[in-house]
């Protein structure tokens, strides 16, 4: 067993740790000025912790084609940058950065369990996580600054894939892509310039795909795409000039989508295809004025009486609202559309086949 530990209270410090095979273990702690830390560990029971205090922070942890990986990087002040790269087996990674030029990149590949947590609090926030063919789980929290988060998770061994992204203030962006597991995703963004894109796909069989997006502020945009599972999606937007689009394609099951928008000039678009035995269910609620709701629902077209029924409910409260519903059902099955508008100068159009 090789264990390398360093604790440095320095004004200018650089630490490099290279640990050989078997049971790796590394600890680096630094407080003060031009902090740098590098850790590389090869196959073993890898574990690495890097703690840095102030000014020039920079940390790289790489645990090669490792086994029982865990990595923690904590950085507190100024030039924060952190990257961790772990390959193989029971991956786990946490990155916490508190102040200034925050950037964090975590990649865990071809491993078993894959879990990652990134928390960043102030200013230049960015986070990118790429987890591949494990069970995949991810949490990202960013509080203030030029927030950006991109999470990409694949496979999930036909089980997990879960992701939660929270961003509170300023230039919020979030992109999530999950593929091959049961997929579950939550995005909450609160202030200024919010944008969220969620894509979940390739679930085969019973259930799968679940996503919720909540945004507060002005000019919010939300894109959700779900395929291959039974699909469920919730989008909630409050403010003005909000835009939400939801696209769902199910595999032997049903699509469900709810979109609620409060404010002015909101637009909601929902497209659902039930394939081949399912049904579509969509609810759009808009309160304010000059809101637009567009819903398109269809079942697979076959010569047999399969495919499900379409159900669309649109509720609009205010003035100058516009609602369009288009439904196409499969052989012998039904379309149901309910549109309720409260206010004046509202327009509703329903098309059923």
């Amino acid at each position: 067993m090789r264990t390398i530990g360093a604790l440095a209270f320095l004004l200018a410090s650089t630490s490099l740790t290279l640990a050989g095979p078997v049971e790796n273990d590394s600890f680096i702690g630094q407080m003060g000025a031009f902090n740098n830390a590098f850790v590389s560990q090869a196959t073993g029971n890898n574990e690495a912790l890097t703690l840095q205090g102030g000014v020039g922070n920079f940390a790289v942890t790489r645990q090669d084609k490792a086994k029982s990986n865990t990595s923690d990087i904590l950085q507190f002040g100024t030039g924060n940058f952190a990257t961790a790269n772990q390959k193989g087996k029971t991956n786990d990674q946490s990155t916490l950065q508190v102040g200034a030029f925050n950037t964090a990149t975590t990649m865990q590949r071809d491993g078993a369990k894959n879990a990652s947590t990134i928390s960043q609090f102030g200013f230049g926030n960015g986070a990118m996580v790429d987890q591949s063919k494990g069970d995949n789980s991810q949490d990202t929290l960013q509080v203030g600054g030029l927030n950006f988060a991109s999470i990409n998770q694949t496979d999930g061994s036909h089980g997990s894939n879960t992701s939660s992204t929270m961003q509170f203030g300023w230039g919020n962006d979030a992109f999530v892509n999950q593929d091959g597991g049961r997929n579950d995703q939550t995005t909450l963004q609160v202030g200024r310039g919010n944008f969220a894109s969620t894509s979940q796909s390739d679930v085969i069989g019973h259930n799968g795909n679940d996503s919720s997006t909540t945004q507060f502020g002005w000019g919010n945009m939300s894109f959700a795409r779900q395929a291959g599972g039974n699909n469920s999606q919730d989008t909630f937007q409050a403010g003005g000039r909000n835009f939400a689009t939801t696209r769902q394609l199910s595999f032997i099951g049903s699509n469900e989508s709810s979109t609620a928008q409060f404010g002015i000039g909101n637009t909601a678009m929902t497209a659902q295809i039930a394939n081949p035995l399912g049904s579509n269910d969509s609810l759009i609620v808009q309160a304010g004025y000059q809101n637009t709701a567009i819903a398109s629902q269809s079942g697979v077209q076959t010569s047999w009486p399969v495919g499900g029924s379409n159900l669309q409910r649109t509720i609009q409260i205010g003035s100058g609202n516009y609602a369009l519903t288009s439904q196409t059902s499969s052989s012998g099955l039904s379309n149901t559309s309910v549109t309720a508008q409260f206010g004046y100068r509202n327009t509703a159009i329903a098309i059923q086949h």
Side-chain angles (χ1 to χ4, degrees):
M1 174 178 179
R2 297 186 61 187
T3 302
I4 298 179
L7 177 60
F9 298 85
L10 303 174
L11 291 178
S13 59
T14 300
S15 298
L16 172 63
T17 299
L18 296 173
V22 195
E23 296 185 11
N24 316 120
D25 189 9
S26 174
F27 164 69
I28 296 174
Q30 295 177 319
M31 299 195 58
F34 312 128
N35 318 121
N36 296 293
F38 311 94
V39 177
S40 177
Q41 297 177 315
T43 306
N45 293 333
N46 318 118
E47 189 173 329
L49 172 68
T50 301
L51 174 69
Q52 294 180 317
V55 187
N57 317 122
F58 166 74
V60 175
T61 300
R62 184 184 174 188
Q63 296 179 319
D64 303 310
K65 296 179 180 179
K67 284 191 174 180
S68 306
N69 326 118
T70 65
S71 172
D72 296 297
I73 297 176
L74 306 173
Q75 295 179 317
F76 302 109
T78 313
N80 315 123
F81 170 80
T83 181
N85 182 1
Q86 296 179 316
K87 294 181 181 179
K89 296 303 178 184
T90 318
N91 315 122
D92 183 19
Q93 216 296 122
S94 295
T95 302
L96 171 67
Q97 295 177 317
V98 177
F101 313 127
N102 317 123
T103 297
T105 300
T106 301
M107 183 180 72
Q108 297 176 320
R109 286 248 167 207
D110 303 327
K113 298 296 181 181
N114 301 142
S116 173
T117 299
I118 296 177
S119 301
Q120 296 177 318
F121 300 113
F123 191 52
N125 315 122
M128 298 179 69
V129 177
D130 180 356
Q131 295 178 317
S132 199
K133 301 186 177 179
D135 287 348
N136 308 138
S137 176
Q138 217 300 119
D139 297 300
T140 302
L141 171 67
Q142 296 177 318
V143 177
L146 308 173
N147 312 125
F148 163 82
S150 176
I151 296 101
N152 182 12
Q153 297 178 316
T154 58
D155 206 34
S157 299
H158 305 291
S160 290
N161 295 146
T162 68
S163 174
S164 181
T165 303
M166 311 265 169
Q167 295 177 317
F168 299 113
W170 213 351
N172 314 122
D173 295 290
F175 313 96
V176 178
N177 181 23
Q178 295 179 318
D179 182 358
R182 299 294 176 189
N183 307 141
D184 183 20
Q185 166 41 40
T186 300
T187 301
L188 170 68
Q189 295 177 318
V190 176
R192 188 80 182 273
N194 307 128
F195 169 81
S197 176
T198 301
S199 177
Q200 297 176 318
S201 62
D202 293 342
V203 176
I204 304 297
H206 187 65
N207 293 330
N209 299 143
D210 185 16
S211 175
S212 179
T213 303
T214 305
Q215 295 175 320
F216 305 101
W218 191 270
N220 300 316
M221 299 182 71
S222 172
F223 299 91
R225 180 186 175 276
Q226 296 175 318
N230 286 351
N231 307 139
S232 177
Q233 164 62 29
D234 298 303
T235 302
F236 170 75
Q237 293 175 322
R241 306 300 178 195
N242 299 318
F243 178 84
T245 178
T246 301
R247 185 173 183 271
Q248 294 176 318
L249 173 64
S250 70
F251 180 86
I252 311 181
S254 62
N255 299 314
E256 290 186 19
S257 175
S258 297
T259 302
Q261 294 175 321
F262 301 94
I264 63 171
N266 300 317
T267 301
M269 301 176 67
T270 300
Q272 295 175 319
I273 300 174
N275 182 21
L277 299 174
S279 60
N280 298 315
D281 187 349
S282 173
L283 170 65
I284 297 175
V285 178
Q286 294 175 321
Y289 67 95
Q290 294 181 347
N291 298 317
T292 300
I294 300 173
S296 174
Q297 295 176 320
S298 63
V300 66
Q301 299 299 306
T302 68
S303 56
W304 303 284
V306 298
S309 58
N310 298 316
L311 173 61
Q312 169 62 34
R313 292 152 296 166
T314 301
I315 301 172
Q316 293 177 320
I317 302 169
S319 63
N321 298 317
Y322 175 82
L324 172 62
T325 301
S326 176
Q327 295 175 319
T328 303
S329 68
S330 299
S331 307
L333 294 171
S334 63
N335 297 314
T336 302
S337 175
V338 177
T339 301
Q341 293 176 320
F342 303 91
Y344 64 97
R345 294 182 181 175
N346 298 318
T347 302
I349 299 173
I351 301 170
Q352 295 175 320
H353 298 284

